[in-house]
């Protein structure tokens, strides 16, 4: 019985140590705080697609330009567009990412996805940037 208690205590200690360490690592390495006003899309979204016979799906790209409005370098930025079919149904989301956008600079983005349906239109869902440095 004493041996079971020691093993149980060891397992609980290991679990608590794991939870504590992973929580501390997230804090230590940093989780970026997204700024949804850091970038502005300054061009009309351009929708392009091709049909891939091998996979029987449409490869979709949304292109455009976004401007950094923060006056500081962004250490990461992302953009998401919702893709719609001819009936207005959402058929996918196209996502693009860049590691650095310089202060007052622009980003010529392209967001990509694939879908089984013919893409007809897009709508901007979100665009964000962050200045936090993430250490690996």
């Amino acid at each position: 019985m004493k041996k079971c208690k020691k093993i149980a205590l060891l397992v609980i200690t290991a679990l608590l140590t794991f939870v504590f360490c992973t929580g501390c690592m997230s804090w230590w390495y940093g989780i970026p705080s997204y700024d949804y006003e850091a970038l502005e899309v300054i061009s009309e979204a351009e929708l392009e697609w091709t049909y891939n016979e091998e996979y029987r799906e449409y490869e979709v790209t949304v292109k455009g330009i976004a401007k950094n409005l923060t006056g500081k370098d962004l250490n990461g930025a992302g953009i998401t567009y919702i893709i719609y079919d001819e009936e207005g149904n959402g058929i996918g989301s196209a996502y693009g990412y860049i590691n650095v956008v310089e202060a007052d600079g622009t980003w010529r983005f392209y967001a990509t996805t694939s879908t089984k349906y013919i893409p007809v239109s897009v709508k901007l869902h979100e665009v964000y940037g962050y200045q936090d440095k993430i250490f690996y």
Side-chain angles (χ1 to χ4, degrees):
M1 188 71 164
K2 220 175 192 182
K3 191 173 186 178
C4 288
K5 285 183 181 180
K6 285 184 179 180
I7 290 173
L9 184 60
L10 182 62
V11 169
I12 291 170
T13 303
L15 285 172
L16 289 174
T17 303
F18 174 77
V19 169
F20 177 75
C21 288
T22 55
C24 287
M25 285 191 294
S26 296
W27 171 79
W28 179 262
Y29 290 119
I31 298 172
S33 53
Y34 297 137
D35 180 353
Y36 292 94
E37 296 177 359
L39 293 156
E40 178 184 8
V41 178
I42 60 172
S43 69
E44 195 70 31
E46 184 181 328
L47 172 66
E48 296 178 356
W49 56 268
T50 58
Y51 186 72
N52 184 320
E53 289 286 340
E54 181 181 352
Y55 296 109
R56 297 181 179 165
E57 63 186 14
Y58 297 89
E59 296 172 350
V60 182
T61 302
V62 180
K63 297 179 180 180
I65 299 173
K67 180 169 178 56
N68 179 351
L69 304 175
T70 66
K72 299 178 181 177
D73 289 353
L74 296 174
N75 293 313
I79 193 162
T80 305
Y81 277 89
I82 301 171
I83 313 296
Y84 296 95
D85 66 10
E86 65 184 348
E87 296 171 355
N89 301 307
I91 58 172
S93 300
Y95 178 73
Y97 182 82
I98 190 169
N99 289 326
V100 176
V101 181
E102 293 179 328
D104 304 315
T106 57
W107 166 32
R108 185 176 298 275
F109 66 83
Y110 70 95
T112 60
T113 192
S114 59
T115 180
K116 298 288 183 188
Y117 305 98
I118 299 172
V120 173
S121 63
V122 298
K123 179 177 146 188
L124 179 64
H125 175 66
E126 68 181 3
V127 59
Y128 65 87
Y130 58 87
Q131 296 173 1
D132 308 337
K133 291 218 183 247
I134 300 174
F135 301 103
Y136 295 102

